[in-house]
Amino acid sequence: MSYEILGLSALWFFLFAYLIIASIDFGAGFFAYYALQTKKDHILNRLIARYLSPVWEITNVFFIFFFYGLAFFFPDAGYYFGSAMLIPGSIVLLLIGIRGSFYAFENYGSRKSKLYTFLYGASGLFIPAAIATGLTISEGGFLRHENGSVYLRYKELLTNPFSWAVVFLAVVSVLYISAHFLTYYANKAGDEPARKLLRSYALFWAAPQIIASLTAFIFISRQNPAHYNNMLDLWWMFGLSVLFFLIGIYLVYRESHYGLSFICVMLQFFFALLGYGIGHMPYLLYNEIQVTADATLPAMGTALLIAFAGGLLMLIPSLILVMRMFLFDAEYVKGKK
Amino acid sequence: MFAYDSVILARMLTSMTLVFHIIFATIGAGVPLLICAAEYVGIRKRDPKYVLLARRWTRGYVIIVAVGVVTGTAIGLQLFLLWPTFMQIAGHVIGLPLFMETFAFFFEAIFLGAYIYTWDRFKGRYTHWYLSLPVVIGGGMSAVFITTVNAFMNTPQGFTLDGRTITSVDPIMAMLNPATPSKVFHVLTSSYMTSGAILAAITAFFILKYGNNTYYKKALKLTMIITLIFSIFTAIAGDTSAKFLANYQPEKLAAAEWHFKTEKGADLILFGRLTEDNEIQGAIHLPKLLSFLSFGDFNSEVTGLDKVDADLIPPLWIHYMFDLMVIFGAFGILISMLFIVFMFWKKRDQYNKWLLRAIVVNAPLAMLAIEFGWIFAEVGRQPWILRGYMRVAEGAISSPYVHYVFAAFLILYVLLGTFVTLVLVRLYKKNPIQKEWEMRFPDTLFGGDQK
Ligand code: HDD
Ligand code: HEM
Ligand code: HEM
């Protein structure tokens, strides 16, 4: 396999991993706020704090990893997205600033504040919405060339129903993934009230999730027919995705096998993102940036892949160690440590 | 027109983020070494007071790291948002170190998480301490990798350029450019020195405020020894950096030294003023010292600004940045040296009020030395963004919105800076050492005397 394709697969994998773990984090913020509003915070907050405080920095590194990887394997993509994303990207950074300080202040330092919980919850929905703009732009038609520079057509972006469909999908998916994971985690912690509450959230967000997915799918056909046709050729991947969606929901509904149901949710997104990604080929950014033609030079691509392999060799054992130490250590989860 | 404005604004925003980030990055890379040392001494001497010290430092450290992560993510993304043209070209070459830097963060973040949540969980005496090693290494390595990028901007190599396209790269050669050794050495040592100075200053402040006891004495001794060691290494590394500049970036050194005429046996000039026609007034001249600093020989020839194209001369005010950095460095060595000498010289009291006050002052000065050093190094690279290849103005974004972004980040940093200070103060006020001491060592008075 060529280094571009290997690199792209690694990036795709990181995007997928970020989608899952960041959604858990972002959604948890929203649920924490919602619970506070509906006076149910005593049920949720301990659980959320216990899971989130050890992992948020790791989540953030996934994000950095993704945009570094994209821009270094495909410097032209870095150039186009970098030029276009000044405003959405800066918004993401400001919101990450708010979230980062939330962890520092609420969890390590000081008292609870309602305003902060609100900012924390709201940022959890706005960050995915702003990041999703990147996916929207990649369908093509949102950029303008002028005097040798690239600009984002803000009006086009803000008035196009497709971009709003993507935003809607991003936000709903975050809540859906997060509710499923937290249900599983609450179950593992033996926290009965939290499990019940979160299970109801998981069920609630299922219908919007599937509606949002279908809407986005339909809008792609208008925005970018070529991509849409490629995806239709991969119909079985999306079929699998829907199948896992149904199994996942069924398991949660039956109140059994929460671990398995979360795996189904991951598989649902795995196949959807895979179908979307393969259908996106050969363009990274439609009609502007191609995977093979616009990759970095072979020497750099190879060096990045070697660094990547070496890094994984070092990281995977460390990650397993940490997971075993607390995330999945029954005593820790139950709050005895 | 707005293209020019957005260059200025992009520079201001980059500088603001970096100047803010470097505070947290310095502490983030340096303090783990002190935490690691304190815990080790504690285990080694079977003295739980040192372990308590490590524990309390770690709590504050975690908060600093949180802000470091936020500002670091900002600068990482801003490189692409504000300097797209620069990154499009340089990205082919500097991708490797930046990519490896993320692995270093990853490594650090994972083990930091493990370290802070597992204090009393292991049976083996050293097991928990081992977890601190990857944190020290991860922090150090991220500083190393990012510094190679900055070194590359000063002495680019390892690629061939044809017009605006890179036609071949050797990423390893780009990382190991001539500026890398001296820069990495100086950045790491100054980060350890500054971290030592900060923790020493906090201890000295408490002694001045609440009176002395054995706990504080232990803390101060440990931090001052580390400060002394690394301030000496920082000076050695600074000397190495000056020798590097003399050989590879003479215009930066000449601008910093107001060295206008190429000559043998050049004087070192401290402070002073420049008149309209570049006459130096009121400065201290140290005869032939610049030649010595540059090449280790009092009579060697040092390139002056007369050999540099007029439009390639960096701003001359970096002279003050350089002088202040060196003076603050000398102050750090002097203070920590005095403390250590007084420790052995029984006639003198190392806890004398004036010395303690100087130790408190030393911390902000060391941090300022870091800031001034970077400003000197970065502004001294002007007008280049990639020395010899690309000027700053060619690398920047042209967008009419940069000033909004600048304002938004200014507000963010002001808020973050205020909050982080408040939270740190509140954290230690809520859980003062006296209280924690009573909980952990109920049979001794605070400080270590038997009840
Ligand atoms: C505690 C901080 C600190 C202290 C006490 C010093 N420095 Fe420094 N200096 C830095 C912190 C620093 C830095 C922030 O780490 C810089 C900025 C860029 C770099 O590579 O290191 C730097 C840069 C820097 C450079 C420019 C390197 C380049 O552009 O490649 C030179 C020549 C020196 N230093 C020389 C010295 C000398 C002769 C010192 C005498 C004691 C000294 N520094 C003390
Ligand atoms: C970490 C400590 C650093 C600090 C405090 C710092 C500070 C500064 C300052 C003050 C400027 C503005 C110079 C001017 O406007 O004349 C600047 C410019 C810049 N620095 Fe650094 N810098 C640091 C490290 C780095 C590193 C490691 C990189 C490489 C990735 C970098 C990349 C840049 C870029 C792209 C610019 C804009 C171009 C320019 O104005 O020269 N900086 N930095
Ligand atoms: C020599 C100057 C710099 C040093 C020593 C340094 C070091 C550090 C350290 C110690 C952290 C805290 C991360 C942690 O502890 O997990 C950090 C964060 C970060 N820095 Fe810097 N940094 C420097 C300049 C820069 C520059 C110029 C960039 C951009 C290219 C950058 C990118 C980042 C990023 C992306 C993070 C966040 C990492 C995370 O999420 O864990 N740094 N940096």
Side-chain angles (χ1 to χ4, degrees):
Chain A
M1 225 191 272
S2 63
Y3 71 93
E4 303 95 330
I5 301 297
L6 276 173
L8 191 67
S9 315
L11 283 181
W12 179 89
F13 187 76
F14 265 83
L15 185 62
F16 172 70
Y18 182 67
L19 176 88
I20 299 292
I21 57 172
S23 292
I24 297 173
D25 176 9
F26 293 145
F30 177 79
F31 293 132
Y33 175 69
Y34 182 74
L36 187 71
Q37 278 306 313
T38 50
K39 306 251 172 346
K40 291 186 185 131
D41 47 320
H42 55 284
I43 306 181
L44 285 192
N45 283 354
R46 234 177 76 81
L47 184 82
I48 289 179
R50 225 163 159 73
Y51 168 73
L52 287 179
S53 12
V55 297
W56 80 273
E57 274 158 27
I58 303 177
T59 314
N60 196 52
V61 185
F62 271 90
F63 174 57
I64 298 173
F65 220 102
F66 178 72
F67 71 71
Y68 269 12
L70 180 73
F72 293 138
F73 273 109
F74 308 101
D76 290 332
Y79 172 71
Y80 275 77
F81 283 110
S83 307
M85 297 280 287
L86 177 67
I87 299 291
S90 299
I91 293 176
V92 170
L93 288 176
L94 293 171
L95 294 172
I96 287 180
I98 293 176
R99 279 186 91 72
S101 49
F102 170 84
Y103 288 108
F105 306 152
E106 294 272 312
N107 290 336
Y108 308 130
S110 50
R111 52 159 197 228
K112 296 256 172 287
S113 116
K114 222 169 181 169
L115 174 69
Y116 238 106
T117 315
F118 167 72
L119 289 175
Y120 174 63
S123 65
L125 300 187
F126 283 114
I127 294 175
I131 293 179
T133 316
L135 288 183
T136 311
I137 293 174
S138 80
E139 297 295 339
F142 294 99
L143 298 183
R144 179 165 56 84
H145 292 263
E146 206 178 284
N147 313 328
S149 296
V150 176
Y151 299 92
L152 183 59
R153 296 163 61 192
Y154 287 99
K155 194 160 160 244
E156 175 66 27
L157 183 74
L158 293 178
T159 53
N160 192 323
F162 171 64
S163 36
W164 292 106
V166 174
V167 166
F168 180 53
L169 175 62
V171 170
V172 169
S173 303
V174 159
L175 296 173
Y176 172 77
I177 296 174
S178 186
H180 270 269
F181 177 82
L182 292 172
T183 312
Y184 155 72
Y185 201 71
N187 186 50
K188 213 172 140 78
D191 186 341
E192 198 47 26
R195 183 192 63 88
K196 274 208 179 110
L197 187 63
L198 288 161
R199 174 176 168 271
S200 69
Y201 294 164
L203 291 176
F204 175 85
W205 287 105
Q209 211 288 316
I210 203 75
I211 293 172
S213 309
L214 289 176
T215 321
F217 203 81
I218 292 165
F219 274 114
I220 289 183
S221 71
R222 284 220 243 140
Q223 183 68 25
N224 186 345
H227 186 192
Y228 181 72
N229 287 332
N230 290 345
M231 291 206 296
L232 284 187
D233 291 342
L234 296 164
W235 61 270
W236 56 275
M237 285 202 183
F238 295 96
L240 278 177
S241 173
V242 174
L243 181 69
F244 283 113
F245 167 79
L246 294 173
I247 302 177
I249 285 295
Y250 177 70
L251 289 175
V252 170
Y253 178 72
R254 280 266 320 271
E255 306 193 41
S256 68
H257 297 98
Y258 289 107
L260 192 62
S261 101
F262 185 66
I263 290 175
C264 287
V265 170
M266 288 203 280
L267 287 173
Q268 173 198 340
F269 280 88
F270 181 88
F271 283 110
L273 195 66
L274 194 62
Y276 169 86
I278 296 177
H280 214 293
M281 296 300 99
Y283 289 102
L284 277 177
L285 170 59
Y286 253 88
N287 298 337
E288 308 259 16
I289 309 277
Q290 290 204 8
V291 173
T292 327
D294 297 301
T296 184
L297 297 162
M300 190 47 144
T302 317
L304 288 176
L305 282 177
I306 294 172
F308 187 73
L312 283 189
L313 233 53
M314 185 181 79
L315 285 180
I316 291 176
S318 341
L319 262 176
I320 292 176
L321 184 80
V322 171
M323 300 261 214
R324 288 245 310 266
M325 232 184 275
F326 40 6
L327 289 193
F328 296 106
D329 172 336
E331 300 278 289
Y332 176 84
V333 173
K334 292 197 173 120
K336 296 206 177 114
K337 277 190 183 161
Chain B
M1 171 61 203
F2 81 50
Y4 182 69
D5 284 345
S6 71
V7 171
I8 303 255
L9 280 162
R11 285 171 65 178
M12 280 167 61
L13 181 49
T14 307
S15 322
M16 179 171 75
T17 305
L18 280 163
V19 163
F20 195 60
H21 176 65
I22 196 63
I23 299 173
F24 302 94
T26 302
I27 299 176
V31 166
L33 185 79
L34 282 112
I35 294 176
C36 173
E39 192 180 3
Y40 179 76
V41 173
I43 298 171
R44 200 52 219 272
K45 293 191 171 169
R46 296 181 183 271
D47 183 346
K49 278 108 208 167
Y50 282 102
V51 180
L52 179 62
L53 199 59
R55 235 179 149 124
R56 291 184 66 84
W57 285 343
T58 306
R59 276 185 216 137
Y61 174 71
V62 171
I63 292 178
I64 297 284
V65 167
V67 183
V69 169
V70 168
T71 53
T73 310
I75 181 63
L77 199 54
Q78 277 176 358
L79 277 182
F80 298 100
L81 299 177
L82 297 172
W83 306 95
T85 318
F86 165 67
M87 289 308 281
Q88 188 184 21
I89 294 174
H92 284 286
V93 195
I94 60 176
L96 185 64
L98 284 174
F99 205 55
M100 294 206 281
E101 195 201 2
T102 28
F103 276 114
F105 289 144
F106 225 138
F107 198 57
E108 187 189 351
I110 290 174
F111 282 95
L112 184 62
Y115 187 76
I116 55 185
Y117 286 95
T118 54
W119 280 96
D120 298 312
R121 271 175 64 178
F122 300 109
K123 292 209 184 65
R125 281 210 300 152
Y126 285 96
T127 315
H128 183 258
W129 176 74
Y130 290 136
L131 288 176
S132 72
L133 298 178
V135 181
V136 177
I137 295 168
M141 287 316 283
S142 44
V144 170
F145 289 134
I146 191 70
T147 307
T148 66
V149 175
N150 185 268
F152 172 80
M153 293 166 70
N154 284 286
T155 50
Q157 69 170 31
F159 64 98
T160 46
L161 196 65
D162 179 11
R164 289 276 94 162
T165 19
I166 295 216
T167 47
S168 76
V169 279
D170 180 346
I172 304 290
M173 204 169 134
M175 276 175 73
L176 301 181
N177 63 71
T180 294
S182 56
K183 261 209 154 78
V184 165
F185 184 27
H186 199 38
V187 167
L188 276 183
T189 49
S190 61
S191 150
Y192 294 135
M193 165 192 172
T194 307
S195 301
I198 292 173
L199 295 176
I202 295 173
T203 313
F205 176 80
F206 282 124
I207 298 179
L208 285 168
K209 195 157 169 206
Y210 300 115
N212 210 343
N213 62 42
T214 37
Y215 175 73
Y216 288 147
K217 282 182 185 164
K218 284 175 178 165
L220 199 59
K221 189 172 140 197
L222 181 73
T223 48
M224 286 315 280
I225 290 176
I226 291 180
T227 311
L228 177 64
I229 295 173
F230 284 103
S231 52
I232 292 173
F233 276 120
T234 303
I236 297 173
D239 181 55
T240 319
S241 301
K243 292 189 168 42
F244 152 80
L245 286 185
N247 282 307
Y248 291 92
Q249 256 184 312
E251 74 282 4
K252 195 193 271 185
L253 189 66
E257 283 306 326
W258 290 349
H259 185 54
F260 293 103
K261 225 170 73 227
T262 305
E263 64 183 359
K264 293 195 171 137
D267 293 355
L268 187 76
I269 293 164
L270 280 181
F271 296 104
R273 258 185 339 274
L274 275 188
T275 61
E276 297 268 311
D277 20 71
N278 285 347
E279 296 279 340
I280 301 166
Q281 285 184 344
I284 309 165
H285 289 255
L286 302 173
K288 299 198 178 186
L289 210 62
L290 180 58
S291 285
F292 184 73
L293 187 67
S294 306
F295 298 103
D297 169 0
F298 287 105
N299 289 313
S300 54
E301 185 177 275
V302 182
T303 312
L305 291 172
D306 51 353
K307 290 270 179 72
V308 182
D309 279 351
D311 68 331
L312 294 181
I313 294 179
L316 293 177
W317 56 265
I318 57 174
H319 176 68
Y320 299 110
M321 298 288 115
F322 182 71
D323 284 359
L324 286 171
M325 168 178 72
V326 175
I327 301 276
F328 294 163
F331 182 78
I333 297 181
L334 181 78
I335 296 303
S336 45
M337 189 91 90
L338 275 182
F339 183 88
I340 307 292
V341 168
F342 286 3
M343 231 166 67
F344 291 104
W345 184 16
K346 290 282 170 307
K347 267 204 207 143
R348 292 280 168 183
D349 177 15
Q350 73 266 36
Y351 304 108
N352 134 358
K353 261 207 173 103
W354 284 103
L355 189 55
L356 289 177
R357 281 181 193 148
I359 292 173
V360 173
V361 173
N362 188 35
L365 293 187
M367 193 50 92
L368 281 176
I370 297 258
E371 298 281 4
F372 293 161
W374 275 108
I375 293 173
F376 157 48
E378 296 291 292
V379 177
R381 193 185 60 229
Q382 300 299 316
W384 300 110
I385 190 167
L386 257 189
R387 183 175 181 269
Y389 292 93
M390 186 192 267
R391 294 188 187 219
V392 172
E394 301 166 55
I397 192 170
S398 57
S399 160
Y401 302 115
V402 188
H403 55 288
Y404 295 120
V405 179
F406 181 84
F409 277 97
L410 180 63
I411 297 173
L412 177 74
Y413 297 148
V414 170
L415 287 180
L416 271 181
T418 321
F419 278 159
V420 78
T421 320
L422 287 179
V423 167
L424 282 174
V425 169
R426 190 182 282 159
L427 174 74
Y428 288 101
K429 277 225 169 112
K430 215 174 72 181
N431 185 9
I433 174 72
Q434 289 84 347
K435 211 167 104 195
E436 188 163 3
W437 186 283
E438 272 167 29
M439 203 184 77
R440 287 181 198 281
F441 314 114
D443 46 343
T444 52
L445 289 173
F446 172 56
D449 299 319
Q450 293 296 325
K451 259 191 187 158

